Amino acid sequence: MHAFIDNYSVAMTALLTKNYRWFSDSIDSPGFRDQLRDIAITLPTVEGERFYEIDATSSEGRLDPAFHVVKWHGPEYPTIIYHHGNNENPFNYGRASKNTFKSILYKNKDEIDANLISLRAPYHNNDMKYYFKKMARLSEFTAMLSTSVNLVESLVQMLQNSGCSRVAVAGLSLGGWVTNLHRSFYNSANLYIPIFAGASLGELFLTSCYQQLSSDLAKGNPEIIRTCLNFDQEFKKIEDDNVYPLLAKFDQIIEYNVQSLCYEKQQVAVINKGHITGALSSDALREHILRYALA
């Protein structure tokens, strides 16, 4: 059932977005190291619990990341930085919104003894059509991820400079990739909690059921996609025992047998769900995050 729901969901998305395919216009892109170097972020003065729009520049032009300080007790408390999944509405806390931060942490925020910060990736302040148009270029995708990674780094540095002694970076799916990318290239947070992510990002578009949404250009040039998006070597070079991954056993998008390989030294927690049913398992995901973030 779990695998069926993943496959059905992707097939329906492919049908509804048949005029849009990932990387259909271009597969020319800098790698993550170069993108991270070229992105500049100006962090505003953080003054309490509110939304903060960010000024960011990249090789793709100006980008629009943001963050929401949802809960702030003070620097003496642990801080959880959470990054949303693909095409979510991370700052919409309404009942029908697609927002894993809402379902996992926000609805229980009063019971969580920690500071909470939610991020919004570039291109996630508009509709799905706008988002898919942006994803027609591989360079826009890597710029989006890299901007989120650099925003995480800016926040980690700000928090540590203000006296926070425990900063956890967590995220689901797209947010899990951001989490692992930050660990691979900065590793400045105290711990990392990637949910439904690994380090072989290229395989998502080449071998999983999600390849239905990939362009023929991308699928016809697998080595270019892998060279640009896979960051297994960088991830494995980090020797700190500070990552606590959670994967879904029946996930057809973030395939367990593929993405678990990067976690050579870490024990991987496994939920007997698929990608969609796993993302809906809010209580289990919250328990996993808090078990480590508040330890």
Side-chain angles (χ1 to χ4, degrees):
M1 177 190 73
H2 303 290
F4 171 79
I5 292 174
D6 284 352
N7 287 318
Y8 179 79
S9 176
V10 172
M12 288 299 99
T13 301
L15 182 63
L16 292 171
T17 61
K18 60 183 178 181
N19 295 324
Y20 304 98
R21 289 293 178 263
W22 289 77
F23 320 141
S24 57
D25 289 351
S26 171
I27 54 172
D28 183 22
S29 172
F32 286 117
R33 190 175 299 280
D34 289 337
Q35 284 281 34
L36 291 166
R37 181 197 62 215
D38 293 340
I39 289 167
I41 286 179
T42 302
L43 201 66
T45 301
V46 178
E47 298 176 331
E49 299 173 354
R50 64 180 181 88
F51 297 95
Y52 296 86
E53 297 288 338
I54 302 300
D55 183 24
T57 58
S58 75
S59 58
E60 300 302 314
R62 301 183 77 86
L63 298 176
D64 63 342
F67 64 95
H68 180 196
V69 178
V70 175
K71 184 176 182 179
W72 185 257
H73 279 319
E76 65 273 20
Y77 286 82
T79 299
I80 301 172
I81 299 173
Y82 181 91
H83 195 290
H84 61 85
N86 179 57
N87 198 31
E88 289 189 21
N89 297 304
F91 295 165
N92 184 341
Y93 302 119
R95 173 180 285 185
S97 65
K98 182 183 179 184
N99 183 345
T100 53
F101 176 76
K102 175 196 70 177
S103 58
I104 297 171
L105 295 174
Y106 185 84
K107 71 176 185 178
N108 293 86
K109 62 185 176 67
D110 293 337
E111 305 164 17
I112 298 173
D113 209 19
N115 304 313
L116 298 176
I117 301 176
S118 173
L119 272 56
R120 188 191 73 207
Y123 314 138
H124 282 76
N125 194 29
N126 213 306
D127 58 22
M128 185 172 71
K129 183 178 179 181
Y130 171 83
Y131 179 64
F132 271 94
K133 281 184 176 180
K134 287 295 184 181
M135 294 303 100
R137 293 171 52 84
L138 179 59
S139 58
E140 297 271 17
F141 179 61
T142 58
M144 175 185 71
L145 283 166
S146 299
T147 301
S148 284
V149 171
N150 276 357
L151 176 55
V152 170
E153 175 61 10
S154 295
L155 289 169
V156 169
Q157 293 301 321
M158 179 202 71
L159 290 163
Q160 292 178 341
N161 289 337
S162 69
C164 285
S165 60
R166 188 170 182 82
V167 179
V169 179
L172 182 146
S173 195
L174 178 72
W177 298 110
V178 169
T179 300
N180 280 344
L181 279 164
H182 188 271
R183 179 178 183 269
S184 298
F185 291 98
Y186 291 108
N187 194 37
S188 56
N190 298 96
L191 67 154
Y192 295 88
I193 310 171
I195 299 172
F196 309 161
S200 298
L201 178 53
E203 306 313 310
L204 171 68
F205 302 100
L206 298 172
T207 65
S208 81
C209 75
Y210 207 79
Q211 67 179 290
Q212 297 175 67
L213 301 176
S214 297
S215 67
D216 291 338
L217 178 62
K219 289 184 285 189
N221 293 276
E223 289 312 308
I224 292 177
I225 300 300
R226 289 187 171 109
T227 298
C228 183
L229 295 183
N230 289 356
F231 56 99
D232 305 72
Q233 292 184 358
E234 291 85 355
F235 186 83
K236 291 177 180 178
K237 286 179 182 177
I238 304 300
E239 297 182 354
D240 294 338
D241 184 16
N242 61 354
V243 61
Y244 305 95
L246 174 65
L247 293 173
K249 184 176 182 179
F250 306 112
D251 197 328
Q252 302 300 296
I253 299 172
I254 311 299
E255 301 167 289
Y256 174 82
N257 290 335
V258 174
Q259 301 302 339
S260 62
L261 297 178
C262 72
Y263 302 115
E264 293 179 319
K265 303 173 184 178
Q266 298 82 20
Q267 183 175 356
V268 180
V270 180
I271 187 172
N272 290 321
K273 301 283 186 178
H275 195 81
I276 304 299
T277 54
L280 294 172
S281 302
S282 304
D283 291 346
L285 302 187
R286 179 171 55 258
E287 180 183 348
H288 180 78
I289 292 174
L290 298 183
R291 178 185 303 131
Y292 298 104
L294 304 185

